[in-house]
Amino acid sequence: MTNEGDKKSRFYTCSCFTTDNIFLDDYKLHVRFVSEHQFRLEYKPLLTRLGCVTELQFLDVLTKVSQEVDRRRHTCETSAERTAAIKNTYQPLHPHVYHLQESYLAPKLKQLVAYCSSSDACEEGLTELLEDVGASRVYRLPVFEKSFCEQLVEELEHFEQSSAPKGRPNTMNHYGILLNELGFDEDFITPLREHYLQPLASLLYPDCGGCCLDSHKAFVVKYAMNEDLDLSYHYDNAEVTLNVSLGKEFKDGNIFFGDMRQVSISETECTEVEHRVSEGLLHRGQHMHGALPISCGQRWNLIVWMRASQERNKLCPMCNRKPSLMEADGFADGFTKQSESLQNGFCELTLSADLLKSLSPTLPVTSDALLQSAALRPGRRCLAADIPTPVAVHVGVVVRLHLNLDLRHRAGHPSAHRHGRGQQRFEFLTSSLSSAFGFFFSFSFFFFFLSSSFFFSFSGNRSSSQAKSCWENIMSSTFRITIKPRI
C-alpha cells in the first residue's frame, strides 16, 4: 500500500536489497548473492566450515538463497496484492487501534515530548529523564498504556488467525506482521513518529539523522515455543529504532546489545536488557543487537525502523555504497532522489535568541517582532520566522565575526520550516581561506560571490552557470531565521 503519510517525497530502495544481507538461518550467516559462480567462490569454504559439507547441502542453500532473491525482486507486487486482499476481506476486531490517540500513550512519554518542546531542552536534560539500561545510548521509556497493548495484541492475533494473506517482516523473523499492509501506517505509525518519536530522536541522536527522520518501516514480531525463539546478532536498516514490548506473558528472551556494526562481536562485551510490557527501547539502528531465546509463553514486539533520507542518501547502511535507487512503493527503504535544482525554497540561518536580541538595535525589524511572529512547533527546540532577504543579509553581516552560519536550502518542500526534509546544504568556500578555517565562513562573503574566486558546492560540484542560477535564486528568495534558545 502506498503510504499516505508522506506524499511530499517519493522514496526508493537501494538495489542491494535484491542481492545483499540474505540471512541463512541454518548457519546464522548473512550472505550476498549476485550469481552462482560468485556465491560458490565467496561462501563455499565458509559454509563448509559451518557444517555444509556435501554438494547436496550446498545446493539446498543455493535453492533457498535463489528463492529469497526472487521474493525480494517481486516484493512490491506481492505486497500490493496482499494489502488489497486484506483491505477487501479482513474485518478488524478492534478498529479503533488503527488510529493513534493520546489516551493510548503513557503519560511519561507525553511529558518527555513536552520537555523536548521546552526552551531549555537539551540532550543531557532528556537523558536524565530516561532510564539508562547500561548499553551505550540505549534508553528505556514508557510508550503505551498496558490496556492498549492488550487490545493491540488481540487485534494482531485476530489477524494472524484469519485467512488474509500475510508477509514476513524480514529474512530473520518468520513470524510477525507488516503493519503497513494491515493499514497502520497513515493514522498510527506516521503520527507516532512525527509527533512523539522525532522530538526525542532529535535530541538523543542528532549525529545519525535523529533530527530529520522522514520515513519508517514498522512491523510486529512474535516469539513463541515451536516458532521463532530468538534472534541472531544483527543491525537494523534504520537510523533510529524503537522496540516496544507488547506482551503477552513470557519468560526470558532478553535483548542484548553489543557495539556498533563496525566492531566485531569478538571484541565486544554485550549488555543484556530485560523487556518490559508497554515500555520501549530506543537505540541507533547501526547498534548491533540480538534476542535471547524465550523459555515459555509468547512475546510480541512492535519494531519501528525510522529512517533519515538525508543520512542514507550519502551511504546505504546495508551495502556501504552510494545507493543505487530502484522505484518502490510507500516509504520503501527511505532513500530519496537529490534535487537537481533549487525551486521555490527557503534558506535558514541559525542564530541564538540572546545574540539576536543583542543585535536588535542594528536590525530593520526588532528581535521581539521576530520572536512574536514565530511559531513554536511541537517537538522543535527553536522558533522560526520568515524575513525578507535584505534583512537576512544584514543580520549575516552583523554576526559574521561571532557565529558560524548554517545556511540550508529547503528545496521545493511546501512545509519548508520542517527540519530536515528536502534539506540541501550550501557551502561557500574561497581560495583565500586557509585550510584551518575552510568550513567556517562568513555570511558577508555573499557580497563578493560574483567578483571573487569562489568554489560553490551544492550536493557536489556545479558549473558556473548553475552556481549563478543558484545564487540568483537565493537572493530572490525568503530566508528563514531559526532562533534557538541555546547553542
Side-chain angles (χ1 to χ4, degrees):
M1 178 176 69
T2 300
N3 293 306
E4 299 296 331
D6 198 323
K7 294 181 179 179
K8 302 177 183 67
S9 300
R10 178 161 188 173
F11 293 91
Y12 296 81
T13 294
C14 179
S15 61
C16 74
F17 175 68
T18 60
T19 58
D20 291 30
N21 293 287
I22 298 169
F23 185 65
L24 301 179
D25 195 23
D26 294 337
Y27 303 96
K28 308 302 180 187
L29 180 68
H30 282 93
V31 298
R32 181 171 184 262
F33 181 87
V34 176
S35 67
E36 181 177 342
H37 177 69
Q38 164 267 333
F39 190 78
R40 281 183 178 275
L41 285 177
E42 289 188 25
Y43 296 106
K44 187 79 161 67
L46 176 58
L47 286 168
T48 299
R49 292 197 296 272
L50 293 175
C52 181
V53 294
T54 69
E55 180 64 14
L56 191 61
Q57 287 175 313
F58 183 79
L59 290 176
D60 180 59
V61 169
L62 200 59
T63 297
K64 291 178 179 177
V65 170
S66 299
Q67 289 173 345
E68 175 60 18
V69 169
D70 186 65
R71 183 193 71 82
R72 294 187 182 194
R73 286 175 176 167
H74 297 92
T75 292
C76 286
E77 297 90 331
T78 54
S79 179
E81 290 170 359
R82 285 194 300 266
T83 301
I86 292 168
K87 185 176 181 180
N88 292 332
T89 63
Y90 176 66
Q91 294 296 322
L93 177 66
H94 298 305
H96 61 276
V97 301
Y98 291 78
H99 304 272
L100 183 65
Q101 299 178 33
E102 280 209 354
S103 60
Y104 301 162
L105 303 174
K108 179 66 179 292
L109 175 64
K110 290 179 277 190
Q111 293 171 10
L112 292 170
V113 173
Y115 170 79
C116 294
S117 300
S118 65
S119 60
D120 59 346
C122 62
E123 180 181 358
E124 295 77 11
L126 180 57
T127 56
E128 289 178 2
L129 300 174
L130 297 168
E131 181 180 341
D132 186 340
V133 298
S136 176
R137 300 179 73 184
V138 179
Y139 306 101
R140 185 193 302 279
L141 67 158
V143 179
F144 299 119
E145 294 281 11
K146 288 188 177 180
S147 58
F148 171 75
C149 292
E150 293 172 359
Q151 290 189 326
L152 181 57
V153 171
E154 287 175 3
E155 175 62 34
L156 297 171
E157 288 182 319
H158 180 67
F159 173 74
E160 187 183 45
Q161 294 162 8
S162 74
S163 60
K166 303 162 188 70
R168 60 190 288 194
N170 51 66
T171 58
M172 299 184 72
N173 292 100
H174 299 88
Y175 298 89
I177 297 168
L178 292 164
L179 293 182
N180 65 311
E181 294 184 357
L182 192 50
F184 276 90
D185 254 6
E186 180 181 357
D187 294 325
F188 192 100
I189 302 298
T190 295
L192 178 66
R193 167 174 56 84
E194 291 184 342
H195 302 313
Y196 298 96
L197 302 180
Q198 168 94 44
L200 302 176
S202 294
L203 290 183
L204 297 173
Y205 309 111
D207 55 324
C208 54
C211 59
C212 48
L213 302 171
D214 53 1
S215 68
H216 61 259
K217 176 178 179 177
F219 52 94
V220 172
V221 292
K222 177 190 175 187
Y223 298 88
M225 309 309 294
N226 302 318
E227 296 183 1
D228 286 338
L229 295 176
D230 57 10
L231 188 62
S232 295
Y233 198 54
H234 68 285
Y235 64 92
D236 299 336
N237 185 1
E239 275 63 64
V240 179
T241 295
L242 176 70
N243 183 335
V244 185
S245 176
L246 300 175
K248 302 168 62 176
E249 292 185 2
F250 56 90
K251 188 175 180 180
D252 299 322
N254 289 348
I255 188 171
F256 61 93
F257 289 91
D259 210 317
M260 299 302 282
R261 68 186 178 98
Q262 297 85 354
V263 182
S264 169
I265 190 171
S266 61
E267 305 172 15
T268 300
E269 183 176 342
C270 292
T271 302
E272 193 173 324
V273 182
E274 179 187 10
H275 286 288
R276 298 178 189 164
V277 175
S278 79
E279 296 183 359
L281 296 170
L282 202 61
H283 63 87
R284 293 164 290 174
Q286 305 300 291
H287 196 155
M288 298 291 292
H289 57 285
L292 298 172
I294 63 169
S295 56
C296 66
Q298 287 186 11
R299 179 165 70 83
W300 291 77
N301 282 65
L302 166 65
I303 312 296
V304 184
W305 287 352
M306 292 173 279
R307 279 104 175 233
S309 60
Q310 179 179 312
E311 291 296 318
R312 59 183 42 227
N313 286 346
K314 304 171 191 173
L315 192 73
C316 173
M318 304 309 289
C319 65
N320 291 317
R321 299 186 292 268
K322 184 173 178 59
S324 173
L325 303 184
M326 301 189 310
E327 289 190 358
D329 293 335
F331 286 130
D333 275 345
F335 299 95
T336 58
K337 284 188 176 179
Q338 299 289 342
S339 176
E340 289 295 325
S341 62
L342 306 180
Q343 39 185 315
N344 304 322
F346 285 84
C347 295
E348 178 180 90
L349 298 172
T350 301
L351 312 177
S352 74
D354 291 340
L355 179 57
L356 184 69
K357 287 183 176 180
S358 69
L359 297 171
S360 59
T362 70
L363 300 179
V365 293
T366 67
S367 59
D368 286 342
L370 286 176
L371 289 167
Q372 289 172 6
S373 66
L376 181 62
R377 297 179 300 282
R380 302 293 189 267
R381 295 166 57 193
C382 60
L383 300 170
D386 296 335
I387 58 175
T389 297
V391 178
V393 172
H394 186 72
V395 171
V397 174
V398 170
V399 301
R400 68 181 183 275
L401 298 178
H402 307 281
L403 187 68
N404 299 323
L405 295 176
D406 188 10
L407 178 64
R408 293 187 176 95
H409 178 258
R410 310 298 180 145
H413 200 291
S415 56
H417 62 272
R418 179 165 294 173
H419 185 70
R421 286 188 181 163
Q423 178 172 295
Q424 308 294 339
R425 181 170 180 163
F426 294 94
E427 294 175 352
F428 295 89
L429 304 180
T430 176
S431 58
S432 63
L433 291 177
S434 67
S435 59
F437 297 96
F439 286 92
F440 298 91
F441 15 89
S442 165
F443 199 74
S444 63
F445 280 121
F446 275 14
F447 295 111
F448 307 108
F449 179 82
L450 297 180
S451 59
S452 300
S453 172
F454 269 82
F455 174 71
F456 181 64
S457 168
F458 171 56
S459 297
N461 297 342
R462 294 290 186 267
S463 67
S464 59
S465 61
Q466 288 174 309
K468 183 178 180 181
S469 174
C470 291
W471 167 254
E472 291 172 348
N473 199 322
I474 292 169
M475 295 307 293
S476 63
S477 69
T478 297
F479 284 81
R480 179 172 295 276
I481 286 193
T482 301
I483 308 156
K484 291 190 176 179
R486 286 188 177 182
I487 291 184

